[in-house]
Amino acid sequence: MSFQTMMKDKKAVVVIAAHKAYKMPHDAMYLPVHVGAEGKDTDLGYTKDNTGENISGKNSSYCELTGLYWAWKNLDSAYIGLAHYRRHFSLSKKSREPFDNVLKYSELEPMLNKYKVFIPKKRKYYIETLYSHYAHTHYASHLDETRKILRNFYPEYLNNFDAVMKRRWGYMFNMMIMEKKLVDDYCTWLFNILFELEKRVSKENENLSAFQGRFYGRVSELLFNVWLEQKILEKR
């Protein structure tokens, strides 16, 4: 049986983005993926994100999004998700052993026919808005340019972008589990924006530190909230 066939037979596949060897859940729903595998000699024993259609070479700036892109282009399960080697979905905090709390397929499966999107709990900032927090930590110009891109290419999202930027909470870490057709919708929208942003700011960001250079992954955390809010409004 081929890799693609095995993945398609699973109703839900959650990719775990990892750049080093780490303890992984044993549940068959999870697929560890070595993000940023392009040009690396290290074999972690995980699926590599430089196989199939991929943007593995952008990992230094796109972070875990190279894993999301790989999943989008190379998986065909009914639900596709993204988690991190140190961040997982959970329904409980009762166990002393954290990995005992990681969401299991047996817990997720009964909810698949009821919900299209699963997201982590809100992260609250209390004092700052999402925009001011980003501006104080990184470069506000990245968000300002992103807004221009939305105005040019996706003007129907502009009001939600402005509203989200004023919030003091958000769904962060680029973590989600969604129906494949919604993954298609989101990733098409997201990567169109990020690739355009890359064209517009590439020269001015050549001298950024490695920490600041990972801003595409950070901008996407906020954009996910914009996209999600738009989808919710469209269903009302």
Side-chain angles (χ1 to χ4, degrees), residues 29 47 56:
M29 173 173 68
T47 297
S56 180

Side-chain angles (χ1 to χ4, degrees), residues 60-152:
S60 62
S61 56
Y62 277 62
C63 308
E64 66 276 354
L65 292 182
T66 63
L68 177 62
Y69 188 96
W70 181 90
W72 170 39
K73 294 295 187 178
N74 297 285
L75 297 179
D76 194 27
S77 299
Y79 283 76
I80 292 174
L82 178 69
H84 301 248
Y85 71 103
R86 290 191 298 177
R87 290 192 180 102
H88 293 279
F89 289 96
S90 175
L91 296 179
S92 172
K93 292 185 177 180
K94 295 180 180 179
S95 174
R96 293 183 179 180
E97 170 52 51
F99 266 80
D100 290 343
N101 294 329
V102 174
L103 180 69
K104 300 176 179 62
Y105 180 74
S106 60
E107 297 172 320
L108 178 66
E109 195 275 335
M111 298 185 285
L112 294 181
N113 294 327
K114 298 179 181 179
Y115 306 104
K116 298 179 182 294
V117 179
F118 300 85
I119 47 181
K121 289 183 177 180
K122 296 176 182 177
R123 182 171 186 176
K124 299 179 181 179
Y125 291 88
Y126 298 102
I127 298 174
E128 293 191 295
T129 65
L130 293 182
Y131 183 91
S132 67
H133 180 267
Y134 189 98
H136 291 156
T137 311
H138 309 295
Y139 293 90
S141 59
H142 299 151
L143 293 181
D144 297 338
E145 196 62 46
T146 299
R147 188 182 188 280
K148 293 177 183 177
I149 294 170
L150 287 174
R151 186 180 62 200
N152 292 342

Side-chain angles (χ1 to χ4, degrees), residues 64-65 123 125 171-174 186 190 216-226:
E64 66 276 354
L65 292 182
R123 182 171 186 176
Y125 291 88
Y171 302 110
M172 310 307 286
F173 312 122
N174 286 315
Y186 173 59
L190 174 67
Y216 297 102
R218 299 186 182 104
V219 169
S220 69
E221 290 184 275
L222 305 183
L223 283 177
F224 177 71
N225 288 267
V226 176

Side-chain angles (χ1 to χ4, degrees), residues 9-20:
D9 287 344
K10 296 181 181 179
K11 192 169 184 180
V13 176
V14 178
V15 163
I16 302 177
H19 65 272
K20 63 181 181 180

